[in-house]
Amino acid sequence: MLILLLYSIRVFSIAATICMFLVLPVNYYGQEMTHKMIPSESFDIFCIENVKKNSKWLCVHCIALYIICCSACVLLYFEYSSISRLRLIHITGSQKNPSHFTVLVQSIPWSPEETYSETIRKFFSNYHASSYLSHQMIYRSGTVQKLLSDAEKMYNTMKENSVEMRCQKLKGGCFCAGSTNSFTILPSVNDSVKKELYGNMELVAGEKECSAAFVFFKTRYAALMASSVLQSANPMSWATSLAPEPCDVYWSNLSIPYRQLWIRKIGTLIAATGFMIMFLLPVTVVQSMTQLEKLQQTFPFLRGLLKKKYMSELVTGYLPSVVLILFMYLAPPTMMTLSSLEGPISRSGRKRSACLKVVYFTIWNVFFVNVFAGSAIGTLSAFSSVKDIPAQFGKAVPAQAGFFVTYVLSSGWASLSCEVMQLFSLTWNFFRRWIFRIKIEPFYEPLAFPYHTEVPRILLFGFLGFTCSILAPLITPFVLFYFFLAYLVYKNQILNVYISKYESGGQFWPIAHNTTIFAMVVAQIIALGVFGVKESPVASGFTIPLIVGTLLFHGYCRQRFRPIFRDPAAEVLIEMDRKDEECGRMEEMYQQLRTAYCQFTLLAKRNTSTSGCSSGHDSESNVTELESARPGNPQQVIELWNAPSCHLSEPVLITK
């Protein structure tokens, strides 16, 4: 996240310098006219629309485009190379990561003569005899999870009703938050209650095996090979993939039948596309508000009000951006829900999928639909002829440049202030305390960084900056200032507010790289269309090689860096295995593998005194220790997740 912001700051520092000192004067003096004072000038005077047709000064825009795109590509290459090295360091530095030895096996064939556990033991003992270590079955979590939720509610009820000691309430308090209990010592839970809960859950879990399991191997290389090769002549059976980290496992999706996954992906794709099409209506309404003449024709009773200058500027300038921002808040939770239905096996995979969907959604609706929004039918017909796309862009984008500048100002800076204040949590806390009069102190889970909302927003502003840089150069200083401010805000949030439960390992960077390349190509196509409309064949001719060169650069980066983000390198894993064997750490790793993936928290706690299954890697586990973890330190959180869970019979100190 911070690397993406630093990259954006570097790129748009160059872009802002070139655009403000090279492109802006050309736009301003593009027509022979008497200029007013600069604060009194219209916004169009500073745009490329003010340049005359067939002007030789359009070559300045082409040169500026070359400088911006070449600088972006060079910096993008170095960032991709740097993040690739950091990813390798992350892999080699996590020596005790159990996911390196673990493979997730799905679609295990059913046999009426034996259980899934026996089937998987026979299969891997037969075909992977030299490297197979053990396995951990996965259970259907519906009934079991309900028992766990009921048990947690019972535990919380007993905790609240029989507290042995409370610290004195704080006298002072914020208006929205009120007073809080700083520390609470929890009492022990009756052993008979524990025995009853554990016994019932173990009984249900034993009857609900599903056709999936975690299989552990003796070496990292063996696990990599087992996850890469086809295990059966039937590709729909014995499907293997590298397991996510224990704290990253999305347990509720592991019991989904493997044969349903492709249907779920198609269904979510159709649903996401339908949601994007439905969103054409509010975006079209928003764009109609930016056109004063159409607004007066549609609502004649507003003509007198809209004649006032400040009112017309408010309605056609600021108000459309605010309305669009409010509608856009529906996108992240909707896409997160659809990504969950796809069946990802990890929480990071779910967030990456949601992030990608939100990127597509925001760029399509904020840029493309707004550019071509006369009506939903007009929007679709604008792309009916491929050869006319550059010309359509050349006519439509400069006309909407003012709207995009306003959107950056209203959406970008307002979103950062909301991020600092945590506006949603603050508002909900106010309603809970002062409207609904709920005095019971709720349990607050540690906040995880919302990649699926913040990364698409940053990429969107970068996209607008690239596409509008030479068309409306005034946008570049505002975008640059946003990135400076965003870096300060998000660095504070990551260090002091959010707690990372897992490491993404740089998996979000390919999304940022692809979006940046797409933004540059779209900016070049728009420039090609504008140069064609302005009848400048020289500038148009020099733009085509730039498009080809950008696409070739993207193809090279995909071949050079993208495989590093798919699978670990075999030589790296083999070297790690050799070092562990020489140092005698393998036996210790084997012991940890037996306790790494525990699906049910309470069962894990019960087995702590017997078999040692103590990790509790579900999202609700080890909440006590996670609360005391320091934000911004994912390694500390991972250690807490891997630490043995506290017994319920021991007092636990809760810090609120």
Side-chain angles (χ1 to χ4, degrees):
M1 183 69 181
L2 296 180
I3 293 177
L4 175 59
L5 287 170
L6 287 174
Y7 167 78
S8 302
I9 290 172
R10 295 188 185 105
V11 170
F12 283 98
S13 296
I14 299 173
T17 303
I18 296 297
C19 290
M20 294 301 293
F21 294 101
L22 189 64
V23 178
L24 187 63
V26 173
N27 291 348
Y28 187 71
Y29 295 104
Q31 298 279 357
E32 295 179 0
M33 57 182 295
T34 303
H35 290 281
K36 306 175 185 177
M37 297 294 291
I38 289 180
S40 303
E41 293 282 11
S42 170
F43 180 78
D44 294 337
I45 300 297
F46 302 97
C47 298
I48 200 172
E49 285 184 322
N50 196 48
V51 181
K52 293 186 297 184
K53 288 186 177 181
N54 200 17
S55 173
K56 63 180 181 180
W57 292 106
L58 287 170
C59 293
V60 174
H61 296 78
C62 184
I63 294 172
L65 185 65
Y66 261 88
I67 295 174
I68 293 171
C69 291
C70 291
S71 302
C73 288
V74 170
L75 292 174
L76 203 59
Y77 177 83
F78 285 117
E79 290 294 346
Y80 218 153
S81 177
S82 175
I83 292 177
S84 300
R85 288 194 299 270
L86 290 175
R87 177 168 171 77
L88 293 177
I89 293 173
H90 165 70
I91 293 173
T92 56
S94 53
Q95 290 283 344
K96 295 184 178 181
N97 191 344
S99 63
H100 293 168
F101 296 84
T102 310
V103 171
L104 175 64
V105 181
Q106 296 174 289
S107 190
I108 303 171
W110 163 251
S111 173
E113 300 175 355
E114 56 189 8
T115 62
Y116 283 122
S117 181
E118 294 171 350
T119 300
I120 201 168
R121 182 180 296 107
K122 287 183 179 180
F123 181 87
F124 282 94
S125 298
N126 185 21
Y127 297 106
H128 298 270
S130 60
S131 57
Y132 170 67
L133 182 64
S134 62
H135 67 275
Q136 170 67 47
M137 292 306 302
I138 298 170
Y139 303 97
R140 295 185 180 91
S141 59
T143 306
V144 178
Q145 195 62 48
K146 185 177 183 301
L147 286 173
L148 289 171
S149 300
D150 294 341
E152 185 178 2
K153 290 178 181 178
M154 292 172 59
Y155 173 72
N156 289 333
T157 302
M158 290 185 288
K159 175 189 70 175
E160 294 293 337
N161 294 335
S162 58
V163 173
E164 293 178 353
M165 185 180 70
R166 290 179 181 269
C167 290
Q168 185 179 2
K169 290 185 177 181
L170 296 176
K171 299 298 183 183
C174 144
F175 174 70
C176 297
S179 60
T180 58
N181 296 325
S182 298
F183 299 99
T184 301
I185 295 182
L186 307 182
S188 61
V189 179
N190 190 282
D191 291 339
S192 62
V193 176
K194 286 195 300 178
K195 183 177 180 180
E196 183 69 21
L197 293 176
Y198 296 147
N200 291 340
M201 282 180 289
E202 191 177 57
L203 178 63
V204 175
E207 297 176 353
K208 294 293 182 179
E209 283 184 354
C210 66
S211 59
F214 289 111
V215 179
F216 308 118
F217 290 85
K218 295 179 180 178
T219 62
R220 299 175 179 87
Y221 179 73
L224 177 64
M225 291 298 100
S227 66
S228 304
V229 300
L230 196 63
Q231 299 294 330
S232 171
N234 179 10
M236 299 301 288
S237 297
W238 298 104
T240 57
S241 60
L242 281 176
E245 295 182 7
C247 51
D248 191 22
V249 176
Y250 195 39
W251 292 100
S252 59
N253 278 353
L254 297 185
S255 58
I256 297 175
Y258 183 75
R259 299 172 188 270
Q260 290 184 9
L261 294 180
W262 70 276
I263 301 176
R264 284 172 172 262
K265 291 180 180 179
I266 294 175
T268 54
L269 177 62
I270 294 173
T273 306
F275 183 65
M276 292 174 66
I277 294 175
M278 288 174 57
F279 215 80
L280 288 174
L281 179 61
V283 175
T284 305
V285 172
V286 166
Q287 269 306 306
S288 66
M289 298 172 64
T290 64
Q291 302 172 11
L292 191 60
E293 294 179 358
K294 291 184 178 180
L295 199 62
Q296 290 176 349
Q297 293 175 2
T298 307
F299 304 101
F301 58 90
L302 293 177
R303 289 180 180 176
L305 188 63
L306 293 177
K307 287 181 180 179
K308 299 178 181 180
K309 184 178 180 181
Y310 73 91
M311 203 66 193
S312 63
E313 291 178 353
L314 176 65
V315 173
T316 60
Y318 185 71
L319 192 59
S321 298
V322 174
V323 174
L324 183 60
I325 291 167
L326 294 178
F327 277 110
M328 292 297 291
Y329 278 117
L330 297 174
T334 303
M335 296 306 179
M336 179 62 83
T337 302
L338 294 177
S339 298
S340 300
L341 295 176
E342 273 186 344
I345 61 174
S346 65
R347 299 182 182 278
S348 59
R350 179 184 61 161
K351 278 200 173 181
R352 283 198 306 274
S353 177
C355 179
L356 198 58
K357 290 181 178 65
V358 177
V359 168
Y360 292 150
F361 181 87
T362 53
I363 291 177
W364 166 254
N365 284 287
V366 174
F367 183 78
F368 290 102
V369 177
N370 273 290
V371 166
F372 294 100
S375 63
I377 297 176
T379 302
L380 297 177
S381 64
F383 297 96
S384 58
S385 178
V386 176
K387 65 180 182 180
D388 294 335
I389 289 179
Q392 292 283 351
F393 275 124
K395 295 176 182 178
V397 175
Q400 296 297 328
F403 171 78
F404 294 137
V405 173
T406 307
Y407 185 83
V408 170
L409 290 173
S410 56
S411 174
W413 297 358
S415 65
L416 293 178
S417 61
C418 292
E419 173 64 29
V420 172
M421 293 189 298
Q422 294 292 316
L423 191 59
F424 178 78
S425 301
L426 195 66
T427 305
W428 167 244
N429 204 18
F430 170 77
F431 276 96
R432 186 182 60 82
R433 286 181 174 274
W434 302 103
I435 305 299
F436 302 117
R437 297 292 180 179
I438 300 175
K439 299 301 182 181
I440 300 176
E441 189 76 20
F443 172 73
Y444 295 102
E445 293 186 1
L447 294 175
F449 190 84
Y451 287 101
H452 64 294
T453 61
E454 305 309 315
V455 172
R457 182 179 289 117
I458 293 173
L459 294 177
L460 173 64
F461 292 138
F463 184 91
L464 296 178
F466 276 113
T467 52
C468 298
S469 56
I470 65 169
L471 308 182
L474 282 178
I475 197 175
T476 52
F478 294 111
V479 172
L480 179 61
F481 183 76
Y482 166 79
F483 285 130
F484 269 118
L485 199 60
Y487 178 78
L488 297 177
V489 169
Y490 288 124
K491 186 172 184 179
N492 171 75
Q493 299 297 92
I494 291 172
L495 291 177
N496 301 316
V497 177
Y498 296 113
I499 291 181
S500 300
K501 297 180 181 179
Y502 51 82
E503 286 280 5
S504 63
Q507 291 287 355
F508 284 90
W509 182 254
I511 299 176
H513 174 87
N514 295 337
T515 306
T516 304
I517 293 291
F518 179 67
M520 285 191 287
V521 172
V522 172
Q524 294 156 11
I525 293 174
I526 293 172
L528 181 63
V530 171
F531 296 149
V533 172
K534 294 291 184 179
E535 300 176 0
S536 177
V538 176
S540 300
F542 276 98
T543 305
I544 295 174
L546 183 60
I547 298 174
V548 176
T550 304
L551 294 176
L552 291 176
F553 168 76
H554 177 55
Y556 171 76
C557 288
R558 284 180 62 87
Q559 295 293 325
R560 170 63 179 85
F561 299 114
R562 189 65 182 94
I564 299 175
F565 291 81
R566 293 195 187 102
D567 293 309
E571 64 174 350
V572 174
L573 298 183
I574 292 174
E575 288 297 327
M576 294 173 68
D577 289 333
R578 288 175 178 172
K579 289 181 180 179
D580 285 344
E581 289 175 356
E582 292 173 359
C583 298
R585 286 196 295 259
M586 279 301 188
E587 288 300 325
E588 180 185 354
M589 290 300 306
Y590 297 158
Q591 293 296 328
Q592 291 183 1
L593 286 175
R594 297 171 185 171
T595 64
Y597 292 87
C598 288
Q599 185 172 1
F600 304 115
T601 308
L602 293 179
L603 286 177
K605 292 179 180 181
R606 178 181 185 270
N607 293 333
T608 302
S609 59
T610 56
S611 61
C613 186
S614 59
S615 61
H617 296 286
D618 203 0
S619 62
E620 291 83 8
S621 63
N622 282 346
V623 291
T624 301
E625 293 88 343
L626 278 174
E627 279 195 341
S628 60
R630 184 174 65 84
N633 189 355
Q635 185 60 39
Q636 180 186 2
V637 178
I638 292 173
E639 292 174 357
L640 290 172
W641 282 80
N642 290 328
S645 302
C646 301
H647 294 285
L648 290 178
S649 57
E650 298 174 355
V652 181
L653 185 63
I654 298 287
T655 304
K656 296 182 179 178

